[in-house]
Amino acid sequence: MKDKLPNFLIVGAQKSGTTSLYNYLKQHYEVFMPERLKEPKFFVSPIFKKINHNQPLWVKFMSNTMFEWQDYLKLFEKVQKEKAIGESSVTYLYYYKTAIILIRKYLGNIKIIISLRNPIDRAFSAYLHLRRDNRENISFKKTLKEEDKRKKNYPPLYHYTSIGFYYHQVKAYLDNFDQVKIYLFDDLKKDTLSLVKDMYGFLGVDTSFTPDVSIRYNVSGIPKNKFIHKFLKEPNILKSMVKPVVKTLIPQGERRKIIEKIKMKNLQKPRMRPETREYLKNLYREDILKLQDLIKRDLSSWLE
């Protein structure tokens, strides 16, 4: 069974392009990523075992969380001869203390991929993500004031600023794993293909393979037309009726690309208030400066 265990993980950060990386990796014939569940969250599941699974805000989060090792193993049953086997759970970076202990226990000293985004933009993107899905209804400024209080009862996606203090999170992975690759969201946007090819090299798979990187996945924003967004995202009778016909006409990968393109065009992105950005710059300044020394990358643009 050991040859069917993950030998790499994408651990985060949330809203830093990890869904796109998951999809670009999944295209490679030498890479196995679980098809039915992108984020099993198994290595942080002990944190959530005591939470009431029926709380409305937690229902979706809990339904996609693997609590048992045997259930986690089933995600990799279809592994054949792939060289790189992995999964992507962004909570592994934020809850690094629990995750690292369990990753080392179950998987050993595996390869780790970390994607980091300007924490100011990341926080706002998380907010827009929840606005997009109708799971947030107050202003961004107000959420920042209430974050400490909300953290006690809200899932991690709502921890807008807390997730962005990367220094200790990243350092812990560098201290505990021999092979850690850190990518910046800025580089993913600038030259997606080069970054993905570099990632293939890190995982030891064929770097001559060229994936389709024309689609960005799980983009945040506020829907211009809520009906279109809801129709594409949630199950409904009409979709279930036409699905059998569509499946015979359009391959699954192409269907996903078409849906993502429509969803992206239907999104608008409001700008963050200048005073809020200034507040977040001051909040993150020290952590960003420590992080850039740690990973030896110039992050001054994050503070501009």
Side-chain angles (χ1 to χ4, degrees):
M1 190 65 195
K2 190 172 175 59
D3 60 347
K4 289 195 173 187
L5 288 175
N7 51 31
F8 80 92
L9 294 172
I10 300 176
V11 303
Q14 192 183 75
K15 302 308 300 177
S16 299
T18 56
T19 304
S20 292
L21 294 182
Y22 162 82
N23 281 281
Y24 303 150
L25 281 171
K26 199 169 64 168
Q27 292 178 41
H28 199 295
Y29 67 96
E30 290 184 312
V31 178
F32 182 90
M33 303 290 279
E35 184 67 40
R36 67 182 178 90
L37 184 60
K38 173 189 171 269
E39 297 192 45
K41 305 186 281 287
F42 173 74
F43 299 109
V44 292
S45 61
I47 296 171
F48 310 116
K49 276 190 174 176
K50 296 178 182 178
I51 292 168
N52 180 353
H53 294 204
N54 295 319
Q55 287 186 49
L57 288 174
W58 287 89
V59 169
K60 184 178 180 182
F61 185 87
M62 291 298 194
S63 68
N64 293 328
T65 301
M66 290 283 179
F67 289 97
E68 304 299 331
W69 176 239
Q70 291 306 316
D71 292 332
Y72 183 74
L73 290 179
K74 287 176 184 175
L75 294 174
F76 307 96
E77 284 178 333
K78 293 184 179 178
V79 170
Q80 295 178 346
K81 295 181 179 179
E82 291 88 355
K83 290 182 181 178
I85 304 164
E87 54 108 334
S88 172
S89 295
V90 294
T91 43
Y92 295 163
L93 186 62
Y94 183 44
Y95 296 111
Y96 65 93
K97 292 178 182 177
T98 297
I100 287 172
I101 290 170
L102 292 181
I103 293 167
R104 291 293 308 231
K105 175 184 174 181
Y106 285 98
L107 302 179
N109 190 12
I110 62 170
K111 293 179 180 179
I112 299 293
I113 294 173
I114 300 174
S115 178
L116 300 176
R117 182 179 189 174
N118 180 334
I120 300 165
D121 297 330
R122 194 224 66 81
F124 195 50
S125 179
Y127 169 76
L128 293 179
H129 175 109
L130 291 169
R131 283 286 306 275
R132 180 196 75 188
D133 294 348
N134 207 28
R135 290 190 282 157
E136 181 67 272
N137 55 16
I138 63 176
S139 72
F140 184 52
K141 185 177 181 180
K142 192 172 182 182
T143 67
L144 299 184
K145 289 180 180 177
E146 296 186 2
E147 181 167 332
D148 285 342
K149 183 172 66 176
R150 287 170 131 212
K151 277 170 64 177
K152 297 173 184 176
N153 299 306
Y154 282 55
L157 187 55
Y158 291 84
H159 305 184
Y160 299 132
T161 60
S162 302
I163 284 175
F165 289 97
Y166 302 136
Y167 172 75
H168 289 293
Q169 302 172 29
V170 173
K171 187 176 187 303
Y173 275 94
L174 289 171
D175 289 345
N176 284 278
F177 294 90
D178 293 337
Q179 298 182 77
V180 178
K181 193 74 174 180
I182 298 166
Y183 295 106
L184 299 184
F185 183 76
D186 307 312
D187 297 332
L188 180 64
K189 284 177 66 179
K190 192 184 303 177
D191 192 344
T192 307
L193 187 58
S194 291
L195 186 148
V196 175
K197 293 259 190 181
D198 186 85
M199 189 164 56
Y200 290 162
F202 175 65
L203 296 177
V205 298
D206 181 7
T207 55
S208 67
F209 176 82
T210 301
D212 180 352
V213 296
S214 61
I215 303 293
R216 287 173 57 206
Y217 294 85
N218 201 24
V219 176
S220 297
I222 297 177
K224 301 170 190 172
N225 186 309
K226 291 183 179 180
F227 172 80
I228 291 175
H229 182 76
K230 189 174 182 180
F231 175 80
L232 292 172
K233 190 168 178 63
E234 297 178 10
N236 57 72
I237 296 172
L238 182 58
K239 272 168 70 175
S240 63
M241 287 172 62
V242 301
K243 192 174 183 179
V245 179
V246 174
K247 281 175 75 173
T248 61
L249 297 175
I250 308 172
Q252 183 181 359
E254 289 302 312
R255 291 200 307 271
R256 178 83 191 274
K257 283 191 280 185
I258 291 168
I259 290 169
E260 291 295 330
K261 279 184 179 178
I262 296 171
K263 285 199 293 190
M264 253 186 87
K265 287 187 176 180
N266 189 43
L267 293 176
Q268 56 186 345
K269 292 199 172 189
R271 296 177 71 86
M272 191 189 309
R273 292 179 178 275
E275 63 271 22
T276 305
R277 181 171 289 278
E278 199 60 34
Y279 162 75
L280 290 174
K281 278 184 195 176
N282 293 328
L283 183 71
Y284 285 123
R285 187 177 304 278
E286 183 181 348
D287 193 79
I288 289 172
L289 294 175
K290 287 167 68 176
L291 178 68
Q292 75 172 0
D293 289 340
L294 178 69
I295 66 174
K296 297 177 174 54
R297 289 290 305 265
D298 180 8
L299 303 177
S300 57
S301 63
W302 289 5
L303 293 168
E304 287 175 358

